[in-house]
């Protein structure tokens, strides 16, 4: 890909956003272009502001059989994410909706207000077999709109009532609002939380994850959760070659000091439209490092910017990938952090009585 500055949106219109363009998704038949209507009238060019719409979902638990993942089911209360992380591998999912994986992904958000209702219905199905549910593996359940929508909290209330195990991945400090639920679930071994820290450099973090909490605030979130007895895994994710890779040891050390009980890491992934979006971002904000970063990425994927091959897509291959894995392993031994938290309990699962059940009369 060659960087085309004509495709980028003016800085004033994408303030505090991650992507620098809003190009067409792969399912759109026509390329998005701006043309003049022929009238000699100056038109106001609006900022990309957050828009929220609603979807009446038909089901809420999504299944997967990927050998790269440690779970087989997940819940996503929202489509799109206002945090705006430019590297987010979930961006291409917006293309299925006819939106751009670029600025649309972080400004045109979709909430599923009936998520908790569907979750309860699915858990009450007599054929349902319990196993940990993952939340936040696609888009962040504690992104800013959760403050008003409260969909994640409603889902947590259902999981608590059913004594169902759940693993949460987030950058959002709004999770602290739900400490009352999480504390009770943690006491029974029903919850664990993964908090991702990509960089401790405030400037890099702000450019790369413009509306996510600062690195220091995330570390304080780890400290708060840990102090409440909630097991937290530090996620050094993603490691960006040539940009954040030098911080691996510092991030792991800071996470351990904050109270994290385990650590994991993932190399930068650039599937589908994310590759072009990330390269545009690099050329805009770090033009002096762009060639080095992309050279290292291609080195790990056989000359391509990404390989989706199972067992390799999360870490890459080759000398550089092995070096990062070795450095992480040394840092883990130094801090005493394992790569996994204790397994969640599945034996406590029970279906509570609902209105109309016979026993509820007594």
């Amino acid at each position: 890909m060659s960087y085309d500055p004509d495709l980028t949106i003016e800085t004033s219109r994408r303030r505090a956003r991650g992507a620098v363009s809003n190009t067409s998704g792969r399912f759109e038949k026509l390329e998005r272009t701006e043309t003049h209507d022929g009238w000699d009238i100056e038109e106001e060019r609006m900022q990309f502001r957050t828009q929220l719409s609603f979807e009446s979902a038909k089901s809420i638990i999504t299944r997967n059989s990927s050998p790269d993942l440690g779970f087989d089911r997940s819940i996503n209360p929202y489509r799109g994410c206002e945090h705006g992380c430019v590297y987010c591998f979930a961006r291409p999912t917006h293309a299925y909706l006819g939106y751009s994986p670029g600025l649309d992904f972080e400004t045109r958000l979709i909430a599923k207000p009936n998520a908790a209702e569907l979750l309860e219905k699915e858990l009450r199905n007599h054929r349902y077999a319990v196993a940990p549910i993952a939340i936040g593996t696609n888009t962040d359940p504690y992104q800013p709109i959760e403050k008003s929508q409260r969909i994640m909290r409603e889902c947590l209330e259902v999981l608590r009532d059913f004594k169902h195990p759940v693993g949460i991945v987030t950058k959002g400090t709004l999770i602290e609002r739900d400490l009352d639920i999480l504390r009770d679930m943690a006491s029974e071994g029903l919850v664990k939380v993964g908090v991702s820290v990509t960089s401790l450099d405030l400037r890099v973090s702000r450019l790369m994850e413009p509306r996510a909490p600062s690195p220091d605030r995330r570390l304080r979130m780890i400290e708060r959760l840990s102090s409440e007895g909630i097991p937290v895994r530090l996620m050094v994710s993603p490691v960006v070659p040539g940009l954040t890779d030098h911080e691996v040891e510092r991030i792991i050390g800071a996470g351990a000091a904050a109270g994290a009980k385990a650590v994991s890491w993932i190399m930068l992934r650039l599937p589908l439209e994310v590759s072009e979006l990330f390269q545009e971002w690099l050329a805009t904000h770090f033009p002096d490092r762009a060639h080095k970063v992309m050279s290292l990425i291609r080195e790990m994927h056989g000359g391509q910017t990404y390989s989706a091959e199972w067992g390799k897509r999360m870490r890459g291959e080759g000398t550089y990938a092995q070096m990062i894995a070795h450095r992480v392993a040394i840092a883990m031994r130094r801090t005493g952090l394992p790569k996994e938290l204790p397994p969640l309990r599945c034996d406590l699962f029970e279906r509570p009585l609902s209105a109309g059940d016979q026993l509820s009369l007594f």
Side-chain angles (χ1 to χ4, degrees), residues 11-19 47-48 50 82-84 103 106-107 206-207 209-212:
T11 304
S12 60
R13 297 179 61 207
R14 54 178 170 83
R15 192 176 306 280
R17 302 294 181 182
Q47 284 189 341
F48 280 78
T50 302
E82 195 175 2
H83 283 160
L103 289 166
E106 48 197 289
T107 59
R206 185 55 64 212
L207 290 173
E209 309 157 326
R211 298 201 178 198

Side-chain angles (χ1 to χ4, degrees), residues 71 74-76 78-81 88-91 93 105 134-141 169:
F71 57 89
S74 60
I75 294 174
N76 291 295
Y78 301 102
R79 298 182 188 270
C81 185
C88 183
F89 60 81
R91 283 182 176 274
T93 61
F105 176 79
I135 307 181
T137 56
N138 196 44
T139 58
D140 202 315
V169 175

Side-chain angles (χ1 to χ4, degrees), residues 199 201 203-204 207 240-247 278-279 281-297:
S199 173
D201 185 314
R203 176 176 177 269
V204 172
L207 290 173
V240 183
L243 188 62
T244 68
D245 51 357
H246 65 285
E247 299 186 70
F278 182 76
Q279 291 182 68
W281 177 87
L282 266 181
T284 300
H285 298 294
F286 296 96
D288 56 326
R289 303 193 204 181
H291 178 73
K292 177 183 178 181
V293 171
M294 295 311 301
S295 293
L296 289 171
I297 290 173

Side-chain angles (χ1 to χ4, degrees), residues 257-279:
K261 302 302 182 187
V263 62
S264 65
W265 71 282
I266 296 176
M267 193 68 77
L268 176 69
R269 298 167 53 195
L270 300 178
L272 301 170
E273 292 95 342
V274 184
S275 177
E276 180 177 343
L277 290 165
F278 182 76
Q279 291 182 68

Side-chain angles (χ1 to χ4, degrees), residues 252 263 265 327-339:
I252 294 175
V263 62
W265 71 282
R327 286 173 51 195
V328 170
I330 292 174
M332 289 171 66
R333 288 198 298 269
R334 184 180 299 127
T335 56
L337 293 179
K339 63 180 181 180

Side-chain angles (χ1 to χ4, degrees), residues 169 193-195 231-235 260-264 339-341:
V169 175
V193 176
V195 177
V232 180
R233 176 165 56 105
L234 169 71
M235 303 172 66
K261 302 302 182 187
V263 62
S264 65
K339 63 180 181 180
E340 295 291 347
L341 292 167

Side-chain angles (χ1 to χ4, degrees), residues 182-202:
L182 297 172
R183 191 186 302 115
D184 291 343
M185 295 185 74
S187 69
E188 297 185 284
L190 293 172
V191 67
K192 57 184 177 182
V193 176
V195 177
S196 61
V197 179
T198 310
S199 173
L200 298 178
D201 185 314
L202 187 59

